[in-house]
Amino acid sequence: MKTVLHLFIIILTLSSCNSSKTALENKDTMPQTIPAATYLITEVNSETINPGALNITFNPTTGKVTGHGGCNSFFATYTTEGNEIAFSPIAASKKLCPKAISQLENDYFTALKQATHFNVDGATISFSNTEGPLIKGQLQVEAVKTPKEVDYKDRLRVKYESFSRTDFDFILLSKVQAVTSKDKGLQKTTITPMPADDWKALKVLIDAIELSEITTLTPPSTAHQYDGAPHASLAITVGDVEYASPAFDHGNPPKSIEALVNKVLSIKENLRKP
């Protein structure tokens, strides 16, 4: 009788272990989805990153990602199957930054390209491949304010950049001044007072835009990707938060920001007039 009882206990124990093992395996292989959200990158190649320096925003509806690499804004597409992920080649603006920042950005973009798997655990997202972990990020929990909730005052800045192999144009507008430059290194700039009427008109145009949607805009044409048109981007900064658009063709911005872009370019041309 004791032998039968011991045998029953052994079978029950083995069955329980196998069930637990199966449950763990199912948990590891259970298909996941990435929510529409922005993640602040906290680790790249196991190196701790200051939260806010790098970020990535996922849009499951369009299958696109946008973000900031520490120096430049970027965008790409992505596909997922189960826990596997693949990013398309990353397109990014071409701003020049200090060597250390540029190296961090390069490491970040390289890690994204190498990622083959992802995991979402609560507010944490991570990417890896067969060689180990690559990137870890934390959900950005700060609520995005709409233009109507923003206290603009002197905390609003509008930046427009365009460049090609031969030309570069930089425009940074604030309530107080306008900074323009055609020098890629921004060593030579022209600073002029910001016309009050133009600033007022800019604010009206910004009020008509949903700031949180700027980062997910789809460019109406893609000639800039093969040097068919100058590469352009628009960024609106409120305090410490920047809303940067994906790259688009200079002269053909997304419809929702077309009026604003045209106004920025108009202000630049008027400032250059004698």
Side-chain angles (χ1 to χ4, degrees):
M1 183 67 178
K2 289 183 179 180
T3 301
V4 174
L5 181 60
H6 288 164
L7 181 61
F8 176 75
I9 292 174
I10 291 172
I11 294 174
L12 185 63
T13 301
L14 291 175
S15 176
S16 177
C17 290
N18 287 334
S19 298
S20 299
K21 181 179 179 182
T22 301
L24 288 173
E25 290 176 346
N26 289 340
K27 180 181 179 182
D28 291 338
T29 59
M30 187 179 299
Q32 292 186 318
T33 58
I34 301 177
T38 296
Y39 291 90
L40 305 180
I41 304 306
T42 56
E43 289 184 21
V44 174
N45 297 327
S46 300
E47 294 290 331
T48 302
I49 305 299
N50 182 34
L54 315 176
N55 64 54
I56 188 168
T57 299
F58 288 87
N59 187 330
T61 302
T62 62
K64 294 181 179 180
V65 291
T66 56
H68 194 262
C71 179
N72 293 284
S73 57
F74 72 90
F75 72 95
T77 60
Y78 72 99
T79 57
T80 61
E81 184 175 349
N83 296 86
E84 297 181 356
I85 190 167
F87 292 97
S88 71
I90 294 172
S93 56
K94 303 295 183 182
K95 186 167 64 175
L96 299 177
C97 289
K99 184 177 180 180
I101 296 177
S102 295
Q103 183 60 55
L104 172 60
E105 180 172 88
N106 183 65
D107 292 344
Y108 178 36
F109 290 169
T110 299
L112 283 174
K113 295 174 188 176
Q114 295 175 342
T116 57
H117 291 77
F118 74 94
N119 181 64
V120 178
D121 185 5
T124 301
I125 192 169
S126 58
F127 302 93
S128 61
N129 60 18
T130 54
E131 297 182 3
L134 294 168
I135 299 170
K136 183 177 290 185
Q138 197 71 18
L139 183 68
Q140 179 175 310
V141 296
E142 179 182 3
V144 176
K145 295 182 179 180
T146 65
K148 279 68 178 178
E149 296 172 318
V150 172
D151 179 11
Y152 288 123
K153 295 185 179 179
D154 299 325
R155 293 169 53 81
L156 175 67
R157 298 177 298 282
V158 181
K159 179 176 67 176
Y160 183 84
E161 292 179 283
S162 67
F163 65 88
S164 64
R165 291 182 182 273
T166 56
D167 295 310
F168 177 79
D169 226 345
F170 174 87
I171 311 161
L172 179 62
L173 306 177
S174 67
K175 181 180 180 180
V176 178
Q177 63 186 19
V179 180
T180 59
S181 179
K182 297 188 74 66
D183 173 22
K184 288 186 178 181
L186 297 180
Q187 298 300 310
K188 299 178 181 180
T189 61
T190 300
I191 301 176
T192 55
M194 182 67 192
D197 289 344
D198 283 334
W199 184 247
K200 182 178 180 180
L202 273 180
K203 290 176 62 177
V204 171
L205 292 171
I206 292 172
D207 277 335
I209 298 172
E210 183 61 52
L211 291 182
S212 60
E213 294 179 358
I214 290 180
T215 60
T216 59
L217 292 176
T218 301
S221 54
T222 56
H224 64 278
Q225 295 181 3
Y226 51 85
D227 293 334
H231 179 294
S233 62
L234 175 77
I236 299 174
T237 303
V238 183
D240 297 324
V241 181
E242 181 181 81
Y243 304 87
S245 75
F248 55 86
D249 292 352
H250 176 62
N252 189 24
K255 195 69 177 177
S256 61
I257 60 172
E258 182 178 14
L260 177 59
V261 168
N262 289 340
K263 181 61 180 176
V264 170
L265 295 176
S266 173
I267 291 173
K268 178 202 69 174
E269 291 304 319
N270 289 334
L271 290 174
R272 289 179 177 176
K273 290 179 181 179

